[in-house]
Amino acid sequence: MLIQESHVDVKTAANGKESTMRTTPPPTMPAHLLTAHQASLSFTRSFLGFRMRRGLLIQHEFDSRANAATSRFPGVCLFSEIYQVTGPVARFARQIAGHGYIVAAPSSYHDFTGPEPLKYDAADTDKGNQYKIQKTLESYDADSYATVDHLLSLPTCTGLIGATGMCLGGHLAVRAALDPRITACVSYFATDIHSRTLGPYEAANTSAEAPPNSIHTLDQFDKFKGEVAMIFGVKDTHVPDAGRDLIRGKMREAGVVASFHEFAWAQHAFIRDELSKGRYDPAVTKVCFEVLLEVFGRVLKTDLGVKGSVPAVEHDC
């Protein structure tokens, strides 16, 4: 399948600020093309929301045997690491789209900068980490809602939506899945969930008890309506053993339908195939992508009927 990418603008608003958007109409889509739309989220340029601009990569898939007028596919929100939509993130989007999904990948830092990806160097790493805690949870939420809204507005979308992402994006995928419209989530090495350190904060808090009136992701798990797969490397220094255990325990306490996948020798950013500082593990990455395809395929593509009570599992050999 072939891929063709273009741009579309999407509106967002947060923290009492909003503006009008400009939308680029989707191109005519020949049946033999896998079509991608790159949309934008940037509050500092003349595009959307606070002025959201380029950063949303949307991919429509069409097989040569398909009818472009009637083909429909599930949507996937893909949230990036702290460097925005880099080459590895865009390649990941294309991989997912190639299996029959419309993929939307917003650039998270439109509040502060343009849609261009940050560099994998020390200066831009510091910049990305600073933006990550300056951006409010309300702004992150507005982005994810707008991304889902846009996917659902497409005539080629079935109305079923999944979420995925890595690092910061792994957290944002989990947080986005608090929206009941998202029914499947596959999160790669999500940072800052266990410590409540996404967005502005005074100090890290790894307590199992929620602070008063907390809107941190860790304290909102009871809002999950879909299924979640959490993927971590055991050697990930960003999310230590205790942090992973806290996330798992809080999900179980909230009754979340979740699976945990922990790989013994994997480190942080192990799926990044570019400038990964020696941490890229293609073998484990392949296994994790199969996890994603299983969850998304079963939840977003298979019609299992209306959800009902599941009978108790028999204790048998």
Side-chain angles (χ1 to χ4, degrees), residues 114-132:
E116 298 78 17
L118 302 181
K119 297 181 180 67
Y120 288 121
D121 61 19
D124 275 9
T125 296
D126 290 344
K127 189 181 295 182
N129 279 319
Q130 185 60 37
Y131 290 157
K132 178 182 70 172

Side-chain angles (χ1 to χ4, degrees), residues 130-147:
Q130 185 60 37
Y131 290 157
K132 178 182 70 172
I133 60 174
Q134 282 182 270
K135 186 177 174 80
T136 66
L137 294 177
E138 291 82 2
S139 181
Y140 284 120
D141 291 344
D143 289 355
S144 66
Y145 294 153
T147 304

Side-chain angles (χ1 to χ4, degrees), residues 185-252:
C185 173
V186 179
S187 168
Y188 289 79
F189 39 88
T191 56
D192 302 298
I193 293 179
H194 70 288
S195 53
R196 299 179 175 91
T197 48
L198 181 64
Y201 68 94
E202 294 182 1
N205 182 346
T206 58
S207 171
E209 297 298 320
N213 305 312
S214 173
I215 59 170
H216 286 290
T217 308
L218 186 68
D219 307 312
Q220 300 288 310
F221 287 164
D222 60 328
K223 293 184 178 179
F224 274 115
K225 300 299 181 185
E227 180 173 340
V228 184
M230 303 295 292
I231 297 172
F232 290 103
V234 172
K235 300 299 183 183
D236 189 337
T237 58
H238 293 260
V239 192
D241 294 350
R244 299 193 306 276
D245 290 344
L246 177 61
I247 295 168
R248 179 168 31 225
K250 294 286 281 186
M251 283 191 169
R252 285 179 177 168

Side-chain angles (χ1 to χ4, degrees), residues 57-123:
L57 178 68
I58 301 173
Q59 313 209 6
H60 296 179
E61 172 178 278
F62 292 101
D63 185 280
S64 59
R65 297 158 295 179
N67 184 325
T70 59
S71 297
R72 297 170 73 233
F73 306 93
V76 173
C77 304
L78 168 56
F79 298 95
S80 68
E81 53 191 350
I82 62 168
Y83 304 97
Q84 303 211 102
V85 184
T86 58
V89 176
R91 287 192 287 277
F92 188 43
R94 296 181 190 115
Q95 278 188 303
I96 297 169
H99 285 81
Y101 299 91
I102 306 169
V103 181
S107 291
S108 294
Y109 295 148
H110 53 80
D111 311 58
F112 316 108
T113 188
E116 298 78 17
L118 302 181
K119 297 181 180 67
Y120 288 121
D121 61 19

Side-chain angles (χ1 to χ4, degrees), residues 249-271:
K250 294 286 281 186
M251 283 191 169
R252 285 179 177 168
E253 179 183 298
V256 179
V257 178
S259 58
F260 265 70
H261 306 267
E262 296 175 291
F263 293 87
W265 299 105
Q267 301 178 58
H268 191 68
F270 67 84
I271 68 170

Side-chain angles (χ1 to χ4, degrees), residues 29-42:
M29 294 175 285
H32 67 283
L33 292 181
L34 181 148
T35 313
H37 300 297
Q38 186 149 341
S40 352
L41 303 174
S42 174

